[in-house]
Amino acid sequence: LSMSPFAISLPLLLLLLLLHHPTTTVALPDVTSEALRDLCVASPTLSGKYDCESVVSGGGASACDWSEVVCGGDDLWLVSVRIRAGGIESLPDSVGNLSTLESLDLTQNSLETLPATLSNLANLTRLTLSSNSFLTLPSPVTDLINLVELNLFGNDLATLPVELSSLTSLNLLDLSFNEFTELPTVVTGIPSLLSLILQGNEIATLPETMIDLTALTLLDLSFNKLEALPPVVSDISTLSDLSLRSNDLTTLPASLSNLFSLENLVLFSNSFTTLPEVVVQLSSLSDLDLSYNSLSTLPDTFENLSNLSDLGLRNNLFQQFPEVLTRMTSLVSLGLESNQLTSLPESLVNLSNLQDLLLADNQLVNIPDYAGSLVLLDTISMDSVTPNCVPDCECWVA
């Protein structure tokens, strides 16, 4: 049988077409590449690492190959730029041409201002300006109405502009380690906030308008100047995470029991000598850190915390293992390092879910044989470990 000339020539024709018309190379738009070139030039770190001009010279290089850049769509558009410790003192105006950018991280540079063109970044949802030198929040930031996360950690801010309330999609705001002596009321005008992080300021109280943050689930007031918990905190019924680490609290208000959804409470490094009664009423708690206080006992009512899985009691004044803990079968991790314990009770075997038992820097010299009944235990830490270490458990010297 003879074959049709058309059947023979078709594969050859397709081959010729591929040879004479190679696949088109995709690339970022010119204005995007030029803006990234300008960012590279502005950063001593990047310009010492890359040939900045190569991404606009037509030589086939792409900024999408830089480790600081993430592109999408087979390198058709820009998604993320992360230039940390880049030595940037000012951003080029062309940064406003990065129109598809969703995330911009400029941590640990030397920025004091931002160009007005930054407000053109309509797709930006995450902006990180941590560890720069801002005395005031640059106005272009408040024009970025699609921001979901704004991180201003480690600047020199003491106030915020009223225009910040225009960020109606903002879920996370980090104002840690700035110069705030009070929380600007504009923050409480952002009802979309889920997480508010205020570590390392000089805050001693909070405005009553905090109650307007009706979606807030996380509030971090660590390393501030609180001597009493502001009453309004008890009214934020949506809270699931509350950190009060490193303040000067000696008690907590009874009204804190209103926080029915609270799961994580950090009271690390305060001035508690007795456990505030309200703590045992927080029945949803799964994680409680009471380390670095001056506690020596726990009340019998502590066992009401039936959902507690992680308990930190490090660096307190316990001379005896709190008996109430042996009735808390939900415990998975228990930290009692740096106390004055000399022995462990036999009732410890009741903690059938315990996996981590941290006992370093006490006055214990051995692990009791009955600890072998804790079948899920996989980590014990002590100052010294005797040969009767629990089988199948990692025992280590602190």
Side-chain angles (χ1 to χ4, degrees):
L1 295 174
S2 60
M3 296 184 65
S4 165
F6 178 80
I8 297 173
S9 62
L10 182 57
L12 294 174
L13 179 62
L14 291 173
L15 180 60
L16 289 171
L17 286 172
L18 288 173
L19 291 173
H20 288 279
H21 298 280
T23 302
T24 302
T25 301
V26 296
L28 293 173
D30 289 346
V31 292
T32 301
S33 294
E34 290 165 3
L36 290 170
R37 183 269 315 273
D38 295 345
L39 270 175
C40 178
V41 171
S43 167
T45 300
L46 264 64
S47 59
K49 184 177 180 181
Y50 305 114
D51 178 2
C52 301
E53 293 293 334
S54 65
V55 298
V56 295
S57 64
S62 172
C64 294
D65 297 328
W66 298 351
S67 61
E68 295 80 6
V69 170
V70 175
C71 297
D74 292 329
D75 296 350
L76 277 173
W77 65 82
L78 184 67
V79 175
S80 172
V81 172
R82 181 185 183 193
I83 306 175
R84 294 190 164 191
I88 301 174
E89 296 183 356
S90 64
L91 290 181
D93 288 340
S94 58
V95 72
N97 293 329
L98 303 176
S99 58
T100 62
L101 193 64
E102 298 175 15
S103 177
L104 177 59
D105 185 344
L106 296 167
T107 296
Q108 201 177 344
N109 283 281
S110 302
L111 297 169
E112 297 180 3
T113 61
L114 296 173
T117 55
L118 191 77
S119 61
N120 296 337
L121 303 184
N123 289 301
L124 200 67
T125 59
R126 292 176 178 84
L127 178 59
T128 302
L129 298 171
S130 301
S131 302
N132 279 279
S133 302
F134 295 108
L135 294 171
T136 59
L137 186 66
S139 59
V141 173
T142 62
D143 293 328
L144 300 170
I145 60 174
N146 289 314
L147 278 184
V148 174
E149 296 181 9
L150 176 58
N151 191 331
L152 298 167
F153 177 107
N155 283 281
D156 297 303
L157 301 170
T159 61
L160 293 172
V162 295
E163 292 82 5
L164 191 70
S165 61
S166 64
L167 303 184
T168 55
S169 297
L170 202 63
N171 289 166
L172 182 148
L173 178 60
D174 191 341
L175 299 173
S176 299
F177 294 94
N178 278 278
E179 303 295 331
F180 294 103
T181 56
E182 59 184 11
L183 180 67
T185 54
V186 64
V187 173
T188 65
I190 309 175
S192 58
L193 277 180
L194 301 177
S195 300
L196 178 57
I197 306 172
L198 299 167
Q199 290 188 28
N201 285 284
E202 302 287 324
I203 295 173
T205 188
L206 293 171
E208 289 299 317
T209 50
M210 280 282 291
I211 199 173
D212 295 331
L213 297 179
T214 54
L216 197 68
T217 60
L218 183 149
L219 177 60
D220 192 338
L221 289 162
S222 302
F223 301 99
N224 275 282
K225 300 294 182 182
L226 299 176
E227 295 182 2
L229 187 67
V232 69
V233 173
S234 299
D235 295 325
I236 309 174
S237 60
T238 51
L239 282 180
S240 60
D241 291 84
L242 176 60
S243 181
L244 302 169
R245 173 176 179 162
S246 298
N247 281 280
D248 196 21
L249 299 169
T250 58
T251 187
L252 294 173
S255 57
L256 199 67
S257 62
N258 295 336
L259 302 185
F260 300 110
S261 301
L262 198 65
E263 298 177 357
N264 182 15
L265 178 59
V266 180
L267 299 173
F268 184 109
S269 189
N270 276 277
S271 300
F272 296 108
T273 57
T274 59
L275 183 74
E277 292 181 9
V278 69
V279 172
V280 301
Q281 299 176 41
L282 300 170
S283 59
S284 294
L285 279 184
S286 61
D287 194 330
L288 174 61
D289 195 344
L290 291 160
S291 301
Y292 287 86
N293 281 282
S294 298
L295 301 174
S296 58
T297 61
L298 293 175
D300 287 341
T301 51
F302 197 75
E303 66 180 303
N304 293 343
L305 300 178
S306 58
N307 293 305
L308 199 65
S309 59
D310 294 327
L311 175 61
L313 294 169
R314 180 177 183 175
N315 274 86
N316 277 280
L317 302 174
F318 292 100
Q319 296 182 3
Q320 295 182 333
F321 189 97
E323 185 67 29
V324 66
L325 296 183
T326 66
R327 301 193 293 274
M328 302 185 66
T329 57
S330 60
L331 284 176
V332 174
S333 178
L334 175 58
L336 276 160
E337 310 100 304
S338 301
N339 280 279
Q340 301 166 30
L341 302 178
T342 58
S343 64
L344 299 176
E346 189 168 348
S347 52
L348 186 69
V349 299
N350 296 334
L351 301 183
S352 55
N353 290 303
L354 197 64
Q355 296 179 22
D356 300 306
L357 180 59
L358 309 179
L359 299 166
D361 195 19
N362 278 280
Q363 299 173 33
L364 299 164
V365 295
N366 72 317
I367 298 172
D369 292 336
Y370 49 76
S373 300
L374 298 171
V375 295
L376 296 182
L377 194 66
D378 58 24
T379 301
I380 293 180
S381 72
M382 293 181 62
D383 296 305
S384 61
V385 179
T386 55
N388 65 332
C389 188
V390 179
D392 301 319
C393 174
E394 179 186 353
C395 302
W396 53 278
V397 179

